Coordinates of all heavy atoms in Angstrom, one line a residue:
M24 N -27.9 25.1 -7.8 CA -27.8 23.7 -6.9 C -27.0 22.7 -7.8 O -26.2 21.9 -7.1 CB -29.3 23.3 -6.7 CG -29.3 22.1 -5.9 SD -28.8 22.1 -4.3 CE -29.0 20.5 -3.6
F25 N -27.2 22.6 -9.0 CA -26.5 21.6 -9.9 C -24.9 21.9 -9.8 O -24.1 20.9 -9.8 CB -27.0 21.5 -11.3 CG -26.2 20.6 -12.1 CD1 -26.5 19.2 -12.0 CD2 -25.3 21.1 -13.1 CE1 -25.9 18.4 -12.8 CE2 -24.7 20.1 -13.8 CZ -25.0 18.8 -13.7
A26 N -24.5 23.1 -9.8 CA -23.2 23.5 -9.7 C -22.4 23.0 -8.4 O -21.2 22.5 -8.5 CB -22.9 25.1 -9.9
I27 N -23.2 23.1 -7.4 CA -22.6 22.6 -6.1 C -22.4 21.1 -6.1 O -21.4 20.6 -5.7 CB -23.5 23.0 -4.9 CG1 -23.5 24.6 -4.7 CG2 -23.1 22.4 -3.6 CD1 -24.5 25.0 -3.8
V28 N -23.4 20.3 -6.6 CA -23.3 18.9 -6.6 C -22.1 18.5 -7.6 O -21.4 17.6 -7.4 CB -24.7 18.3 -7.2 CG1 -24.6 16.8 -7.4 CG2 -25.7 18.6 -6.0
Q29 N -22.1 19.2 -8.8 CA -21.1 18.9 -9.7 C -19.7 19.1 -9.1 O -18.8 18.4 -9.3 CB -21.3 19.8 -11.0 CG -20.2 19.5 -11.9 CD -20.4 20.4 -13.2 OE1 -21.3 21.3 -13.3 NE2 -19.5 20.3 -14.2
A30 N -19.5 20.3 -8.3 CA -18.2 20.5 -7.7 C -17.9 19.5 -6.7 O -16.8 19.1 -6.5 CB -18.3 22.0 -7.1
L31 N -18.9 19.0 -5.8 CA -18.6 18.0 -4.9 C -18.3 16.7 -5.5 O -17.3 16.1 -5.1 CB -19.9 17.8 -4.0 CG -20.2 18.9 -3.0 CD1 -21.6 18.7 -2.3 CD2 -19.0 19.0 -2.0
V32 N -18.8 16.3 -6.7 CA -18.6 15.1 -7.3 C -17.2 15.1 -7.9 O -16.4 14.1 -7.8 CB -19.6 14.7 -8.5 CG1 -19.2 13.6 -9.3 CG2 -20.9 14.4 -7.8
L33 N -16.8 16.2 -8.6 CA -15.5 16.5 -9.1 C -14.4 16.4 -8.0 O -13.3 15.8 -8.2 CB -15.4 17.7 -9.9 CG -16.1 17.6 -11.2 CD1 -16.1 19.0 -11.9 CD2 -15.5 16.7 -12.2
T34 N -14.7 17.0 -6.9 CA -13.8 16.9 -5.8 C -13.5 15.5 -5.2 O -12.4 15.2 -5.0 CB -14.3 17.9 -4.5 OG1 -14.5 19.2 -5.1 CG2 -13.3 17.8 -3.4
V35 N -14.6 14.8 -5.1 CA -14.5 13.4 -4.7 C -13.6 12.6 -5.7 O -12.8 11.8 -5.4 CB -15.8 12.7 -4.4 CG1 -15.8 11.3 -4.2 CG2 -16.4 13.4 -3.3
V36 N -13.9 12.8 -7.0 CA -13.2 12.0 -8.0 C -11.7 12.4 -8.0 O -10.8 11.5 -8.1 CB -13.8 12.3 -9.4 CG1 -13.0 11.8 -10.5 CG2 -15.2 11.6 -9.5
L37 N -11.4 13.7 -7.9 CA -10.0 14.2 -7.8 C -9.3 13.7 -6.6 O -8.2 13.1 -6.8 CB -10.0 15.7 -7.8 CG -8.6 16.3 -7.7 CD1 -7.8 16.0 -9.0 CD2 -8.8 17.8 -7.5
L38 N -9.9 13.6 -5.4 CA -9.3 13.1 -4.3 C -9.0 11.7 -4.4 O -8.0 11.1 -4.0 CB -10.1 13.5 -3.0 CG -10.1 14.9 -2.6 CD1 -11.0 15.1 -1.5 CD2 -8.8 15.4 -2.2
A39 N -10.0 10.9 -5.0 CA -9.8 9.4 -5.0 C -8.6 9.1 -6.1 O -7.8 8.2 -5.9 CB -11.1 8.8 -5.6
S40 N -8.6 9.9 -7.1 CA -7.5 9.8 -8.2 C -6.1 10.1 -7.6 O -5.1 9.5 -7.7 CB -7.7 10.8 -9.3 OG -8.9 10.4 -10.0
L41 N -6.0 11.1 -6.8 CA -4.7 11.5 -6.1 C -4.4 10.5 -5.0 O -3.1 10.1 -5.0 CB -4.9 12.9 -5.3 CG -4.9 14.1 -6.3 CD1 -5.3 15.3 -5.4 CD2 -3.7 14.3 -7.0
L42 N -5.3 9.9 -4.3 CA -5.0 8.8 -3.4 C -4.5 7.6 -4.2 O -3.5 7.0 -3.7 CB -6.3 8.6 -2.6 CG -6.1 7.3 -1.4 CD1 -5.0 7.8 -0.5 CD2 -7.4 7.1 -0.9
A43 N -5.2 7.2 -5.2 CA -4.8 6.0 -6.0 C -3.3 6.3 -6.6 O -2.5 5.4 -6.5 CB -5.7 5.7 -7.1
A44 N -3.1 7.5 -7.1 CA -1.7 7.7 -7.6 C -0.6 7.7 -6.5 O 0.4 7.2 -6.7 CB -1.7 9.1 -8.3
F45 N -0.9 8.3 -5.4 CA -0.1 8.3 -4.2 C 0.2 6.8 -3.8 O 1.4 6.5 -3.5 CB -0.7 9.1 -3.1 CG 0.2 9.1 -1.8 CD1 1.3 9.9 -1.8 CD2 -0.2 8.5 -0.7 CE1 2.2 10.0 -0.7 CE2 0.7 8.5 0.5 CZ 1.8 9.3 0.5
R46 N -0.8 6.0 -3.7 CA -0.6 4.6 -3.3 C 0.2 3.8 -4.3 O 1.0 3.0 -4.1 CB -1.9 3.9 -3.0 CG -2.5 4.5 -1.8 CD -3.8 3.8 -1.5 NE -3.5 2.4 -1.1 CZ -4.0 1.7 -0.4 NH1 -5.1 2.2 0.4 NH2 -3.7 0.4 0.0
K47 N 0.1 4.2 -5.7 CA 0.7 3.5 -6.7 C 2.3 3.9 -6.8 O 3.1 3.1 -6.9 CB 0.1 3.8 -8.0 CG 0.7 3.2 -9.2 CD 0.4 1.7 -9.3 CE 0.9 1.1 -10.6 NZ 0.6 -0.4 -10.6
L48 N 2.5 5.2 -6.6 CA 3.9 5.7 -6.7 C 4.6 5.5 -5.4 O 5.9 5.4 -5.5 CB 3.8 7.3 -7.2 CG 3.2 7.4 -8.5 CD1 3.1 8.9 -8.8 CD2 4.1 6.6 -9.6
L49 N 4.1 5.6 -4.3 CA 4.8 5.5 -3.0 C 4.2 4.5 -2.1 O 3.5 4.9 -1.1 CB 4.9 6.9 -2.3 CG 5.6 8.1 -3.1 CD1 5.2 9.4 -2.5 CD2 7.0 7.8 -3.2
P50 N 4.2 3.3 -2.3 CA 3.4 2.3 -1.6 C 3.9 2.2 -0.2 O 3.0 2.0 0.7 CB 3.6 1.0 -2.3 CG 4.9 1.2 -3.2 CD 4.9 2.6 -3.4
Q51 N 5.2 2.1 0.1 CA 5.6 2.0 1.5 C 5.2 3.3 2.3 O 4.9 3.0 3.5 CB 7.2 1.8 1.6 CG 7.6 0.5 1.0 CD 7.1 -0.8 1.9 OE1 6.9 -0.6 3.0 NE2 6.6 -1.8 1.2
T52 N 5.3 4.4 1.8 CA 4.9 5.6 2.4 C 3.5 5.6 2.7 O 3.1 6.0 3.8 CB 5.4 6.8 1.7 OG1 6.8 6.8 1.5 CG2 5.1 8.1 2.5
A53 N 2.7 5.2 1.8 CA 1.2 5.1 1.9 C 0.8 4.2 3.1 O 0.0 4.4 3.9 CB 0.6 4.8 0.5
K54 N 1.5 3.0 3.1 CA 1.3 2.0 4.2 C 1.6 2.6 5.5 O 1.0 2.3 6.5 CB 2.0 0.7 3.8 CG 1.3 -0.1 2.8 CD 2.1 -1.4 2.6 CE 1.7 -2.1 1.4 NZ 2.5 -3.4 1.1
R55 N 2.8 3.3 5.6 CA 3.3 3.8 6.8 C 2.3 4.9 7.3 O 1.9 4.9 8.5 CB 4.6 4.4 6.6 CG 5.5 4.5 7.8 CD 6.9 5.0 7.6 NE 7.3 5.3 6.2 CZ 8.1 4.5 5.5 NH1 8.5 3.3 6.1 NH2 8.4 4.8 4.4
M56 N 1.7 5.8 6.4 CA 0.8 6.7 6.8 C -0.5 6.1 7.2 O -1.1 6.6 8.2 CB 0.6 7.8 5.7 CG 1.9 8.6 5.4 SD 1.6 9.7 4.0 CE 0.4 10.9 4.7
Q57 N -0.9 5.1 6.6 CA -2.1 4.3 6.9 C -2.0 3.8 8.2 O -3.0 3.7 9.0 CB -2.5 3.3 5.8 CG -3.8 2.7 5.9 CD -4.0 1.6 4.9 OE1 -3.4 1.7 3.9 NE2 -5.1 0.9 5.0
A58 N -0.8 3.2 8.5 CA -0.7 2.5 9.9 C -0.6 3.5 11.0 O -1.1 3.3 12.0 CB 0.7 1.8 9.8
R59 N -0.1 4.8 10.7 CA 0.0 5.8 11.7 C -1.5 6.3 12.0 O -1.8 6.6 13.1 CB 0.8 7.0 11.3 CG 2.2 6.6 11.3 CD 3.1 7.9 11.0 NE 4.5 7.5 10.9 CZ 5.3 8.1 10.2 NH1 5.1 9.2 9.4 NH2 6.6 7.8 10.2
L60 N -2.3 6.4 11.0 CA -3.6 6.9 11.1 C -4.4 5.8 11.8 O -5.2 6.2 12.8 CB -4.2 7.3 9.8 CG -5.8 7.6 9.8 CD1 -5.9 8.9 10.6 CD2 -6.3 7.7 8.4
S61 N -4.2 4.6 11.6 CA -4.9 3.4 12.2 C -4.5 3.5 13.7 O -5.4 3.3 14.5 CB -4.6 2.2 11.5 OG -5.0 1.1 12.4
A62 N -3.2 3.6 14.0 CA -2.8 3.6 15.4 C -3.3 4.8 16.2 O -3.7 4.6 17.3 CB -1.3 3.6 15.5
A63 N -3.5 6.0 15.5 CA -4.1 7.0 16.2 C -5.5 6.9 16.5 O -6.0 7.4 17.6 CB -3.9 8.3 15.3
L64 N -6.3 6.3 15.6 CA -7.7 6.0 15.9 C -8.0 4.8 16.8 O -9.0 4.9 17.5 CB -8.4 5.8 14.5 CG -8.4 6.9 13.6 CD1 -9.0 6.4 12.2 CD2 -9.3 8.0 14.1
D65 N -7.1 3.9 16.8 CA -7.3 2.7 17.7 C -6.6 2.7 18.9 O -5.9 1.7 19.3 CB -6.9 1.4 16.8 CG -7.5 0.1 17.3 OD1 -8.4 0.2 18.2 OD2 -7.0 -0.9 16.9
R66 N -6.8 3.8 19.6 CA -6.2 3.8 21.0 C -7.2 3.6 22.1 O -8.4 3.8 21.9 CB -5.7 5.3 21.2 CG -4.4 5.6 20.4 CD -3.8 6.9 20.8 NE -2.6 7.1 20.0 CZ -2.2 8.2 19.8 NH1 -2.7 9.3 20.2 NH2 -1.0 8.4 19.0
P67 N -6.8 3.2 23.2 CA -7.7 2.9 24.3 C -8.3 4.2 24.7 O -7.6 5.3 24.8 CB -6.9 2.4 25.5 CG -5.7 1.8 24.7 CD -5.4 2.6 23.5
G68 N -9.6 4.2 25.1 CA -10.3 5.4 25.6 C -11.0 6.2 24.4 O -11.7 7.1 24.6
R69 N -10.8 5.8 23.1 CA -11.5 6.3 22.0 C -12.9 5.7 22.0 O -13.1 4.7 22.6 CB -10.8 6.1 20.7 CG -9.3 6.6 20.7 CD -9.4 8.0 20.1 NE -8.0 8.6 19.9 CZ -7.7 9.6 19.5 NH1 -8.7 10.4 19.1 NH2 -6.5 10.0 19.3
A70 N -13.7 6.3 21.1 CA -15.0 5.8 20.9 C -14.9 4.5 20.1 O -14.0 4.3 19.4 CB -15.9 6.8 20.2
A71 N -16.0 3.8 20.3 CA -16.0 2.4 19.7 C -15.9 2.5 18.2 O -15.3 1.7 17.5 CB -17.3 1.6 20.2
A72 N -16.7 3.5 17.6 CA -16.7 3.7 16.2 C -15.4 4.0 15.7 O -14.8 3.5 14.6 CB -17.7 4.7 15.8
L73 N -14.5 4.9 16.4 CA -13.3 5.3 16.0 C -12.2 4.1 16.0 O -11.5 3.9 15.2 CB -12.7 6.5 16.8 CG -13.4 7.8 16.5 CD1 -12.7 8.8 17.6 CD2 -13.0 8.2 15.1
R74 N -12.4 3.3 17.2 CA -11.5 2.2 17.2 C -11.8 1.1 16.2 O -10.9 0.5 15.7 CB -11.7 1.5 18.6 CG -11.2 2.5 19.8 CD -10.9 1.8 21.0 NE -9.8 0.9 20.8 CZ -9.3 0.2 21.8 NH1 -9.9 0.1 23.0 NH2 -8.3 -0.6 21.5
R75 N -13.1 1.0 15.8 CA -13.4 0.0 14.7 C -12.8 0.5 13.4 O -12.3 -0.1 12.6 CB -15.0 -0.1 14.5 CG -15.4 -1.5 14.7 CD -16.8 -1.7 14.6 NE -17.6 -1.3 15.8 CZ -18.5 -0.3 16.0 NH1 -19.0 0.2 14.8 NH2 -19.0 0.1 17.0
A76 N -12.9 1.9 13.2 CA -12.3 2.4 11.9 C -10.9 2.3 12.0 O -10.3 2.0 10.8 CB -12.8 3.8 11.9
G77 N -10.2 2.5 13.1 CA -8.8 2.3 13.2 C -8.3 0.9 12.9 O -7.3 0.6 12.2
S78 N -9.1 -0.1 13.4 CA -8.7 -1.6 13.2 C -9.0 -1.9 11.7 O -8.4 -2.7 11.1 CB -9.4 -2.5 14.0 OG -10.8 -2.4 14.0
W79 N -10.0 -1.2 11.1 CA -10.3 -1.5 9.7 C -9.3 -0.9 8.8 O -8.9 -1.5 7.8 CB -11.8 -1.0 9.4 CG -12.2 -1.2 7.9 CD1 -12.6 -2.3 7.4 CD2 -12.2 -0.1 6.9 NE1 -12.9 -2.2 6.1 CE2 -12.7 -0.9 5.8 CE3 -11.9 1.2 6.8 CZ2 -12.9 -0.1 4.6 CZ3 -12.0 1.8 5.7 CH2 -12.4 1.2 4.5
L80 N -8.7 0.3 9.2 CA -7.8 1.0 8.3 C -6.4 0.3 8.4 O -5.5 0.7 7.6 CB -7.6 2.3 8.8 CG -8.7 3.3 8.3 CD1 -8.5 4.7 8.8 CD2 -8.6 3.4 6.6
Q81 N -6.2 -0.5 9.4 CA -4.8 -1.2 9.6 C -4.4 -1.9 8.3 O -5.1 -2.8 7.9 CB -4.8 -2.0 10.8 CG -3.4 -2.5 11.2 CD -3.6 -3.3 12.5 OE1 -4.5 -3.7 12.9 NE2 -2.3 -3.5 13.2
P82 N -3.2 -1.7 7.8 CA -2.7 -2.4 6.6 C -2.7 -3.9 6.9 O -2.4 -4.3 8.0 CB -1.4 -1.8 6.3 CG -1.3 -0.5 7.1 CD -2.2 -0.6 8.3
V83 N -2.9 -4.7 5.9 CA -2.9 -6.0 5.9 C -1.5 -6.5 6.4 O -1.5 -7.5 7.2 CB -3.3 -6.7 4.6 CG1 -3.2 -8.2 4.6 CG2 -4.7 -6.3 4.1
D84 N -0.4 -5.9 5.9 CA 0.9 -6.4 6.3 C 1.2 -6.2 7.8 O 1.8 -7.1 8.5 CB 2.0 -5.6 5.5 CG 2.0 -5.9 4.1 OD1 1.4 -6.9 3.7 OD2 2.5 -5.1 3.4
A85 N 0.6 -5.1 8.3 CA 0.8 -4.9 9.8 C 0.0 -5.8 10.5 O 0.4 -6.2 11.7 CB 0.4 -3.5 10.1
K86 N -1.2 -6.3 10.1 CA -2.0 -7.3 10.8 C -1.3 -8.6 10.9 O -1.4 -9.2 11.9 CB -3.4 -7.4 10.1 CG -4.2 -6.2 10.2 CD -5.6 -6.5 9.5 CE -6.4 -5.2 9.5 NZ -7.5 -5.5 8.7
S87 N -0.5 -9.0 9.9 CA 0.0 -10.3 9.9 C 1.5 -10.2 10.5 O 2.1 -11.3 10.8 CB 0.1 -10.9 8.6 OG 0.9 -10.0 7.7
G88 N 2.1 -9.1 10.4 CA 3.4 -9.0 11.0 C 3.6 -9.0 12.5 O 2.7 -8.6 13.2
G89 N 4.7 -9.5 13.1 CA 4.8 -9.7 14.4 C 5.5 -8.6 15.2 O 5.4 -8.3 16.3
C90 N 6.2 -7.8 14.4 CA 7.0 -6.7 15.0 C 6.2 -5.4 15.1 O 6.5 -4.5 15.9 CB 8.3 -6.4 14.2 SG 8.0 -5.8 12.5
G91 N 5.1 -5.2 14.4 CA 4.2 -4.1 14.4 C 4.9 -2.9 13.8 O 4.5 -1.7 14.2
S92 N 5.7 -3.0 12.8 CA 6.4 -1.9 12.3 C 5.4 -1.1 11.3 O 5.7 0.0 11.0 CB 7.6 -2.2 11.5 OG 7.2 -3.1 10.3
G93 N 4.4 -1.8 10.9 CA 3.5 -1.1 9.9 C 3.8 -1.3 8.5 O 3.2 -1.1 7.6
D94 N 5.2 -1.6 8.2 CA 5.6 -1.9 6.9 C 5.6 -3.3 6.4 O 5.9 -3.7 5.3 CB 7.1 -1.4 6.7 CG 7.1 0.1 6.8 OD1 6.2 0.8 6.6 OD2 8.2 0.6 7.1
G95 N 5.2 -4.3 7.4 CA 5.2 -5.6 7.0 C 6.5 -6.3 7.1 O 7.5 -5.7 7.6
C96 N 6.5 -7.6 6.8 CA 7.7 -8.3 7.0 C 8.8 -7.9 6.0 O 8.4 -7.3 4.8 CB 7.4 -9.9 6.8 SG 6.6 -10.5 8.2
S97 N 10.0 -8.1 6.1 CA 11.2 -7.8 5.5 C 11.4 -6.3 5.3 O 12.2 -5.9 4.4 CB 11.1 -8.5 4.1 OG 10.2 -7.8 3.2
S98 N 10.7 -5.5 6.1 CA 11.0 -4.0 6.1 C 12.1 -3.7 6.8 O 12.9 -2.6 6.5 CB 9.8 -3.3 6.4 OG 9.4 -3.5 7.8
C99 N 12.4 -4.4 8.0 CA 13.6 -4.1 8.8 C 14.6 -5.0 8.6 O 15.8 -4.9 9.2 CB 13.0 -3.9 10.2 SG 12.5 -5.4 10.9
G100 N 14.4 -6.2 8.1 CA 15.5 -7.3 8.0 C 15.7 -8.0 9.2 O 16.7 -8.8 9.3
G101 N 14.8 -7.9 10.2 CA 15.1 -8.6 11.5 C 14.2 -9.8 11.7 O 14.5 -10.6 12.6
C102 N 13.2 -9.9 11.0 CA 12.2 -11.1 11.2 C 12.6 -12.3 10.5 O 12.6 -13.4 11.1 CB 10.9 -10.7 10.8 SG 10.1 -9.3 11.7
A103 N 12.9 -12.3 9.3 CA 13.1 -13.6 8.5 C 14.5 -13.4 7.8 O 15.2 -12.3 7.6 CB 12.1 -13.6 7.4
P104 N 15.1 -14.7 7.5 CA 16.4 -14.7 6.8 C 16.2 -14.0 5.4 O 15.2 -14.1 4.8 CB 16.8 -16.1 6.8 CG 15.5 -16.9 7.0 CD 14.6 -16.0 7.7
A105 N 17.3 -13.5 4.9 CA 17.2 -13.0 3.5 C 17.1 -14.1 2.5 O 17.5 -15.2 2.7 CB 18.5 -12.2 3.2
P106 N 16.3 -13.9 1.5 CA 16.2 -14.9 0.5 C 17.5 -15.2 -0.3 O 18.4 -14.4 -0.4 CB 15.2 -14.3 -0.5 CG 15.2 -12.8 -0.3 CD 15.7 -12.6 1.1
A107 N 17.6 -16.5 -0.6 CA 18.8 -17.0 -1.2 C 19.0 -16.3 -2.6 O 18.1 -16.1 -3.3 CB 18.8 -18.5 -1.2
A108 N 20.2 -16.0 -3.0 CA 20.5 -15.5 -4.3 C 20.2 -16.5 -5.4 O 20.7 -17.7 -5.2 CB 21.8 -14.9 -4.3
R109 N 19.6 -16.1 -6.4 CA 19.2 -17.1 -7.5 C 20.6 -17.3 -8.4 O 21.2 -16.3 -8.6 CB 18.1 -16.6 -8.3 CG 16.8 -16.7 -7.5 CD 15.6 -16.2 -8.3 NE 15.8 -16.0 -9.7 CZ 14.9 -15.8 -10.6 NH1 13.7 -15.7 -10.2 NH2 15.2 -15.6 -11.9
E110 N 20.7 -18.5 -8.8 CA 21.8 -18.7 -9.6 C 21.5 -18.1 -11.1 O 20.3 -18.3 -11.5 CB 22.1 -20.2 -9.8 CG 22.7 -20.9 -8.6 CD 24.1 -20.4 -8.4 OE1 24.8 -20.4 -9.6 OE2 24.5 -20.2 -7.3
P111 N 22.4 -17.6 -11.8 CA 22.1 -17.1 -13.1 C 21.8 -18.2 -14.1 O 22.4 -19.2 -14.0 CB 23.2 -16.3 -13.5 CG 24.4 -16.7 -12.6 CD 23.7 -17.2 -11.4
V112 N 20.9 -18.2 -14.8 CA 20.4 -19.2 -15.9 C 21.4 -19.0 -17.1 O 21.5 -17.8 -17.7 CB 19.0 -19.1 -16.3 CG1 18.6 -20.1 -17.3 CG2 18.1 -19.1 -15.1
P113 N 22.1 -20.0 -17.5 CA 22.9 -19.9 -18.6 C 22.1 -19.7 -20.0 O 21.1 -20.2 -20.1 CB 23.7 -21.2 -18.7 CG 22.9 -22.1 -18.0 CD 22.2 -21.3 -16.9
L114 N 22.7 -19.0 -20.9 CA 22.0 -18.7 -22.2 C 22.5 -19.7 -23.1 O 23.7 -20.1 -23.2 CB 22.4 -17.3 -22.8 CG 21.8 -16.1 -21.9 CD1 22.4 -15.0 -22.6 CD2 20.3 -16.2 -21.9
H115 N 21.6 -20.3 -23.9 CA 22.0 -21.3 -24.9 C 21.6 -20.8 -26.3 O 20.5 -20.4 -26.6 CB 21.1 -22.6 -24.7 CG 21.5 -23.3 -23.3 ND1 22.6 -24.0 -23.1 CD2 20.8 -23.4 -22.2 CE1 22.7 -24.4 -22.0 NE2 21.5 -24.1 -21.3
F116 N 22.7 -20.6 -27.1 CA 22.4 -20.1 -28.4 C 22.3 -21.1 -29.5 O 23.2 -22.1 -29.4 CB 23.6 -19.0 -28.8 CG 23.6 -17.9 -27.9 CD1 24.5 -17.8 -26.9 CD2 22.8 -16.8 -28.2 CE1 24.5 -16.6 -26.1 CE2 22.7 -15.7 -27.4 CZ 23.6 -15.6 -26.3
R117 N 21.4 -21.1 -30.3 CA 21.2 -22.0 -31.4 C 21.4 -21.4 -32.7 O 20.8 -20.4 -32.9 CB 19.9 -22.8 -31.4 CG 19.7 -23.7 -30.1 CD 18.3 -24.3 -30.0 NE 17.7 -23.8 -28.9 CZ 16.4 -23.8 -28.6 NH1 15.6 -24.3 -29.6 NH2 15.9 -23.4 -27.5
P118 N 22.0 -22.1 -33.7 CA 22.1 -21.4 -35.0 C 20.7 -21.4 -35.7 O 20.0 -22.2 -35.4 CB 23.2 -22.2 -35.7 CG 23.2 -23.6 -35.1 CD 22.8 -23.3 -33.6
R119 N 20.5 -20.3 -36.5 CA 19.3 -20.3 -37.3 C 19.3 -21.3 -38.4 O 20.3 -21.5 -39.0 CB 19.1 -18.9 -37.9 CG 18.9 -17.8 -36.9 CD 18.5 -16.6 -37.8 NE 18.7 -15.5 -36.9 CZ 18.6 -14.2 -37.3 NH1 18.4 -14.0 -38.4 NH2 18.7 -13.2 -36.4
G120 N 18.2 -21.9 -38.4 CA 18.1 -22.9 -39.5 C 17.7 -22.1 -40.8 O 16.8 -21.4 -40.9
R121 N 18.4 -22.4 -41.9 CA 18.0 -21.8 -43.2 C 17.9 -22.8 -44.3 O 18.1 -23.9 -44.4 CB 19.2 -20.9 -43.7 CG 19.4 -19.6 -42.8 CD 20.2 -18.7 -43.5 NE 20.3 -17.5 -42.7 CZ 20.4 -16.4 -43.1 NH1 20.6 -16.2 -44.4 NH2 20.6 -15.4 -42.3

């Protein structure tokens, strides 16, 4: 019995670690996949619990974005103007005091 519980706990820890690494290394892909899963669950005609889970899983960027791309603003370049280029800061060299 203990071996089964240990295997289940290790499986949950491994899956959580893989998910965290996936979200850290591929954030846009993770958000896109999360938005697709959310859209699949939050369809009309689904059970209320599935629709609630779908709206809960919806990425924060997609909730606030107006185009519904799932990647949030500035992913397609059509919502907002591009940010202005920053002027380079000049370097000032001072002689060492001896």
Side-chain angles (χ1 to χ4, degrees):
M24 179 68 180
F25 181 74
I27 294 172
V28 172
Q29 181 181 4
L31 288 174
V32 169
L33 286 175
T34 302
V35 168
V36 169
L37 178 67
L38 290 175
S40 298
L41 287 173
L42 180 64
F45 180 71
R46 291 183 64 144
K47 179 75 173 177
L48 296 173
L49 300 168
Q51 290 298 322
T52 304
K54 285 180 188 177
R55 200 174 3 255
M56 289 177 69
Q57 184 178 351
R59 285 183 188 153
L60 177 63
S61 169
L64 292 176
D65 196 15
R66 287 190 180 153
R69 300 268 185 181
L73 286 177
R74 295 199 69 181
R75 237 178 287 124
S78 65
W79 180 75
L80 280 174
Q81 188 175 19
V83 176
D84 295 342
K86 289 179 185 176
S87 62
C90 63
S92 67
D94 290 338
C96 287
S97 75
S98 63
C99 63
C102 297
R109 293 182 8 176
E110 289 288 322
V112 178
L114 297 175
H115 298 284
F116 295 103
R117 289 182 244 163
R119 287 188 200 174
R121 289 191 180 212

